């Protein structure tokens, strides 16, 4: 059987897709990338916000048009399958089975021709043994994501993740380190540790947070060059973690800290545990200890009950803190969350206005930050050739894959994807940088 896998959503979902591919490969299924060639297609979906749900539904409907031709089986996996399992089966009859987030390891059961089995394969959460199965990594070298935990215990009032992924469950240190070793042996020297919150890693399993110990163990792997963390909640960032970032050359000076808001009133309504003062103190402490750190955050505008004065607090906070990277989401009203039924829902027009206000401020900050990097020399990983065929494109340690800007640079010698070179920045855009490869290495 020829099987294709379409992966939607975040890096954590991508890892699940890669595990599915690994199971298929180990069981002699032929993996294809052309939908027209597939006997079966698995669509691994996201359902975090409305736009992600719509993308998933559109993708499923597009694939369903292939049924009756070569395509014999269509399986919907992931968060949409977990959240709307009955609706998917009922409303899209072309779907043969749904595979929940905790049942990735059962993919063979829904593909088998020997028996029809259950059409709905969604079970209870907590068993994450499937994460220890082999993967077919789909990201380009040298970067690979590594999931260190599943689920979330934060229960923010706007978020559906605990219902889609369950409570926070950490993997064993030895299992994570073993996978990091395998990835590095395969040529993946940038290991991106991902979880809903990497900073609380180990607390459920060992009775205390052990993210620093995990980083130290992975750092002992010779072929691992960069270790990146996604994502760190501000109230869980410890002095030990900051110290590790300051002293461990393999742990990149890059933190993604999703604060969501800066108004204490809104933060409380969101169910967040921190407040503006805590966020400000943590950022100050990080920057004092690691002066060249890059801090990325994400915000939500238009949360139910967000008043004009709350937005002013957020806007002023963004303007004063000057985050290196910043993403803004317009609040998405999600069924099954406490915020769905909150009073004083904000209009789409106001959400759009507030989104544009924040992005205007951040655009100016980003432009200034990029200008400040002119003349500096950075270790840069080659990720490919730009569309114009003239420039190479890549990242430094200060840009996370897929979400941040890129470095476009020229070289007098031919380069290969995955090479690390020294690049001097000679020009800057609002979010991207222009450079040239030089022999000197510094940073």
């Amino acid at each position: 059987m020829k099987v294709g896998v379409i992966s939607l959503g975040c890096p954590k979902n991508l890892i699940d897709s890669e595990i599915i591919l690994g199971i298929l490969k180990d069981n002699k299924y032929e993996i294809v990338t052309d939908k027209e060639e597939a006997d079966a297609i698995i669509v691994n979906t996201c359902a975090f916000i409305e736009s992600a749900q719509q993308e998933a539904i559109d993708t499923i409907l597009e694939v369903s048009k292939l049924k009756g031709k070569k395509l014999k089986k269509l399986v919907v996996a992931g968060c949409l399958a977990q959240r709307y399992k009955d609706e998917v089966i009922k409303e899209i009859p072309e779907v043969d089975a749904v595979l929940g987030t905790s049942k990735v390891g059962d993919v063979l059961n829904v593909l088998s021709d020997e028996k029809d089995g259950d059409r709905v394969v969604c079970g209870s959460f907590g068993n994450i043994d499937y994460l220890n199965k082999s993967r077919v990594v789909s990201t380009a070298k040298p970067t690979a994501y590594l999931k260190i935990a599943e689920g979330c215990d934060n229960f923010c009032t706007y978020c559906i993740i605990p219902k889609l992924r369950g409570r926070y469950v950490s993997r064993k240190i030895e299992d994570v380190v073993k996978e990091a070793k395998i990835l590095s042996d395969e040529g993946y020297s940038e290991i991106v540790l991902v979880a809903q919150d990497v900073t609380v890693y180990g607390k459920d399993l060992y009775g205390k947070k052990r993210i620093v110990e995990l980083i130290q163990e992975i750092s002992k792997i010779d072929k691992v060059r960069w270790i990146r963390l996604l994502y760190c909640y501000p109230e869980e960032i410890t002095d030990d973690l900051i110290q590790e970032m300051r002293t461990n050359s393999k742990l990149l000076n890059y933190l993604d800290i999703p604060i969501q808001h800066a108004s204490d009133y809104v933060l409380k309504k969101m169910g967040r545990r921190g407040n503006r003062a805590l966020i400000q103190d943590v950022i100050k402490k990080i920057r004092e200890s690691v002066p060249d750190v890059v801090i990325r955050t994400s915000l939500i505008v238009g949360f139910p009950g967000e008043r004009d004065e709350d937005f002013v607090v957020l806007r002023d906070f963004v303007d004063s803190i000057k985050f290196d990277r910043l993403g803004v989401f317009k609040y998405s009203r999600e069924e099954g969350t406490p915020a769905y039924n909150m009073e004083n829902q904000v209009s789409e027009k106001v959400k759009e206005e507030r989104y544009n206000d924040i992005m205007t401020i951040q655009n100016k900050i980003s432009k200034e930050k990029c200008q400040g990097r002119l003349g500096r020399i950075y270790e840069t990983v080659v990720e490919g050739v730009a569309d114009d065929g003239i420039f190479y494109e890549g990242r430094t340690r200060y840009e996370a894959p897929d979400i941040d800007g890129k470095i476009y640079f020229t070289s007098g010698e031919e380069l290969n994807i995955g090479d690390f070179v020294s690049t001097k920045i000679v020009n800057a855009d609002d979010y991207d940088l222009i450079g040239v490869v030089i022999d000197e290495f510094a940073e």
Side-chain angles (χ1 to χ4, degrees):
M1 181 182 282
K2 296 180 178 179
V3 185
V5 177
I6 299 173
S7 188
L8 306 174
C10 67
K12 296 180 290 295
N13 216 40
L14 177 63
I15 291 172
D16 289 350
S17 297
E18 292 173 346
I19 291 171
I20 289 173
L21 290 170
I23 294 172
L24 296 175
K25 182 181 177 182
D26 289 345
N27 286 273
K28 310 305 181 184
Y29 283 81
E30 183 179 349
I31 299 168
V32 296
T33 56
D34 185 351
K35 296 192 294 291
E36 302 284 345
E37 293 295 318
D39 299 305
I41 291 178
I42 301 166
V43 182
N44 193 17
T45 60
C46 177
F48 180 50
I49 56 177
E50 185 178 355
S51 60
Q53 295 168 33
Q54 190 59 54
E55 180 188 23
I57 292 168
D58 290 345
T59 303
I60 296 164
L61 292 175
E62 185 65 28
V63 172
S64 72
K65 296 176 184 177
L66 299 175
K67 288 293 287 288
K69 300 178 183 179
K70 182 176 175 58
L71 186 66
K72 299 180 182 65
K73 286 201 172 184
L74 171 55
V75 178
V76 177
C79 291
L80 189 80
Q82 184 72 39
R83 186 175 183 183
Y84 297 116
K85 49 186 178 292
D86 297 327
E87 290 87 342
V88 170
I89 290 291
K90 180 181 178 182
E91 300 297 333
I92 311 178
E94 293 86 355
V95 174
D96 296 286
V98 295
L99 193 64
T101 54
S102 63
K103 292 296 181 178
V104 170
D106 293 348
V107 63
L108 297 181
N109 294 338
V110 297
L111 291 179
S112 174
D113 285 329
E114 297 177 5
K115 58 180 181 178
D116 291 335
D118 294 330
R119 295 186 69 194
V120 177
V121 185
C122 297
S124 58
F125 303 112
N127 185 349
I128 59 171
D129 289 343
Y130 76 92
L131 288 174
N132 295 325
K133 294 181 179 292
S134 61
R135 295 161 53 191
V136 174
V137 180
S138 57
T139 49
K141 293 177 182 177
T143 303
Y145 294 101
L146 202 172
K147 192 188 292 190
I148 65 173
E150 183 60 279
C152 186
D153 285 344
N154 289 321
F155 295 98
C156 301
T157 60
Y158 53 81
C159 185
I160 197 71
I161 291 297
K163 290 188 177 181
L164 301 181
R165 296 280 178 174
R167 299 295 296 266
Y168 195 96
V169 182
S170 301
R171 297 175 66 187
K172 295 179 181 177
I173 287 181
E174 53 266 32
D175 290 338
V176 178
V177 174
K178 179 181 178 181
E179 184 173 356
K181 179 67 165 58
I182 292 170
L183 291 170
S184 69
D185 286 342
E186 293 175 351
Y188 296 96
S189 57
E190 179 185 18
I191 304 298
V192 184
L193 304 181
V194 295
Q196 287 301 128
D197 180 1
V198 299
T199 43
V200 295
Y201 167 79
K203 193 172 182 179
D204 60 302
L205 189 59
Y206 302 109
K208 63 178 182 178
K209 294 184 284 190
R210 295 183 68 175
I211 184 61
V212 172
E213 183 178 339
L214 177 64
I215 292 166
Q216 291 170 344
E217 290 301 312
I218 295 175
S219 298
K220 295 175 183 177
I221 302 172
D222 290 339
K223 295 178 182 177
V224 171
R225 187 167 186 154
W226 287 355
I227 301 171
R228 191 182 302 274
L229 304 180
L230 299 176
Y231 308 86
C232 302
Y233 278 60
E235 58 272 12
E236 300 292 350
I237 296 175
T238 63
D239 292 345
D240 287 345
L241 180 58
I242 297 172
Q243 174 69 5
E244 187 68 20
M245 181 165 287
R246 191 178 72 83
T247 58
N248 185 342
S249 61
K250 290 189 176 184
L251 179 59
L252 300 183
N253 298 347
Y254 181 103
L255 283 174
D256 192 317
I257 308 174
I259 67 168
Q260 309 305 356
H261 216 281
S263 160
D264 289 349
Y265 173 75
V266 175
L267 287 169
K268 186 175 181 179
K269 286 176 67 69
M270 287 180 167
R272 304 287 289 190
R273 286 171 288 144
N275 54 35
R276 183 170 71 253
L278 181 147
I279 295 168
Q280 194 163 339
D281 289 347
V282 167
I283 292 172
K284 180 181 178 183
K285 183 184 294 185
I286 294 168
R287 283 177 167 168
E288 287 177 348
S289 299
V290 190
D292 65 335
V293 69
V294 162
I295 297 178
R296 178 182 178 85
T297 196
S298 56
L299 307 173
I300 296 174
V301 294
F303 187 80
E306 182 189 56
R307 304 161 299 188
D308 288 343
E309 54 264 41
D310 298 312
F311 178 69
V312 169
V313 168
L314 177 61
R315 188 180 62 197
D316 291 347
F317 191 79
V318 169
D319 194 32
S320 63
I321 292 294
K322 300 190 185 306
F323 291 98
D324 301 273
R325 315 266 191 268
L326 185 147
V328 184
F329 294 90
K330 289 170 278 190
Y331 168 72
S332 176
R333 192 179 181 192
E334 298 301 322
E335 289 183 280
T337 64
Y340 182 84
N341 294 314
M342 286 184 178
E343 297 180 350
N344 300 317
Q345 296 284 331
V346 178
S347 71
E348 293 302 318
K349 179 183 178 182
V350 172
K351 290 179 189 176
E352 184 70 21
E353 291 172 350
R354 291 175 178 176
Y355 171 88
N356 289 332
D357 277 357
I358 295 293
M359 290 309 299
T360 298
I361 294 170
Q362 184 59 30
N363 181 264
K364 180 182 177 183
I365 294 170
S366 178
K367 187 173 183 178
E368 292 173 352
K369 297 269 187 181
C370 286
Q371 290 290 329
R373 295 174 72 178
L374 288 173
R376 295 190 63 182
I377 299 167
Y378 295 95
E379 180 185 26
T380 305
V381 60
V382 181
E383 293 190 305
V385 178
D387 293 338
D388 60 12
I390 300 172
F391 287 87
Y392 288 96
E393 60 182 32
R395 294 177 293 110
T396 76
R397 65 181 59 219
Y398 302 110
E399 288 84 34
D402 302 321
I403 55 175
D404 292 331
K406 289 185 175 292
I407 314 296
Y408 295 94
F409 53 94
T410 58
S411 172
E413 298 181 1
E414 186 175 347
L415 304 175
N416 298 312
I417 293 176
D419 286 348
F420 284 81
V421 295
S422 296
T423 304
K424 183 175 183 178
I425 306 303
V426 297
N427 206 344
D429 202 344
D430 291 356
Y431 294 99
D432 300 320
L433 300 170
I434 311 297
V436 58
V437 173
I438 60 174
D439 290 334
E440 176 189 0
F441 178 76
E443 191 146 326

